[in-house]
Amino acid sequence: MQNQVFFEQQIVQENRAYMITMYLCFFLGLTLMPGLATIVGLVMAYAKRKAVWGTFYFDHCRWLIRTFWISFILGLLTYCVTFFVAFIPFFGVFLLPVFYIIIVLIPLWYLVRLIYGFIKLLDNQKVNPLTYWF
């Protein structure tokens, strides 16, 4: 019985180290290695998601996956709309500053989600999987 408990604790610690590594990849994606580290973290999250089904680690994988895709889609839409609005006379002059503000807010939102999830991970708590925005 003690061997089984020790084995389960070892698996939890291995998963915890893996999750911390995923969060670090996402943080590095914002700072030192934009894009590449985030993609590595995303692939890690997709790869580990089924193995941790039923644990709070699954919610962290889903949290990181959603963080990536929501920020990617919002960023892409913002850049596309900014490009087209810049060429619309008169109307674009008023909307362009709004899109620049949104472009600044997306990485801040991304960072807040990473910090929130990382703190929950360190406290051995799950993130709320039903919250898409915060």
Side-chain angles (χ1 to χ4, degrees):
M1 185 66 160
Q2 287 181 338
N3 288 340
Q4 182 180 3
V5 171
F6 176 74
F7 183 69
E8 289 175 1
Q9 288 176 347
Q10 184 178 3
I11 290 174
V12 167
Q13 288 301 320
E14 288 174 5
N15 286 334
R16 182 180 168 89
Y18 192 90
M19 295 295 152
I20 289 172
T21 305
M22 280 189 331
Y23 273 100
L24 290 177
C25 285
F26 274 79
F27 279 117
L28 286 175
L30 274 178
T31 56
L32 300 176
M33 297 182 284
L36 178 64
T38 305
I39 298 298
V40 169
L42 182 69
V43 169
M44 290 174 68
Y46 273 116
K48 194 68 167 178
R49 187 170 57 162
K50 288 185 181 178
V52 294
W53 174 261
T55 67
F56 70 94
Y57 293 129
F58 177 80
D59 293 329
H60 284 278
C61 288
R62 184 166 35 179
W63 181 262
L64 289 173
I65 291 168
R66 286 182 179 165
T67 300
F68 172 80
W69 285 113
I70 291 171
S71 63
F72 179 77
I73 291 170
L74 285 176
L76 191 63
L77 285 174
T78 304
Y79 280 116
C80 289
V81 171
T82 302
F83 178 76
F84 290 116
V85 167
F87 294 108
I88 299 174
F90 186 70
F91 186 66
V93 174
F94 294 107
L95 282 180
L96 207 54
V98 173
F99 291 115
Y100 286 134
I101 291 170
I102 293 172
I103 289 171
V104 170
L105 289 179
I106 291 171
L108 291 177
W109 172 83
Y110 183 90
L111 185 62
V112 166
R113 278 184 61 103
L114 287 181
I115 292 171
Y116 174 78
F118 193 65
I119 289 171
K120 290 287 192 177
L121 177 67
L122 294 179
D123 290 340
N124 289 328
Q125 297 177 355
K126 68 177 190 171
V127 291
N128 187 355
L130 300 177
T131 55
Y132 290 97
W133 303 104
F134 282 105

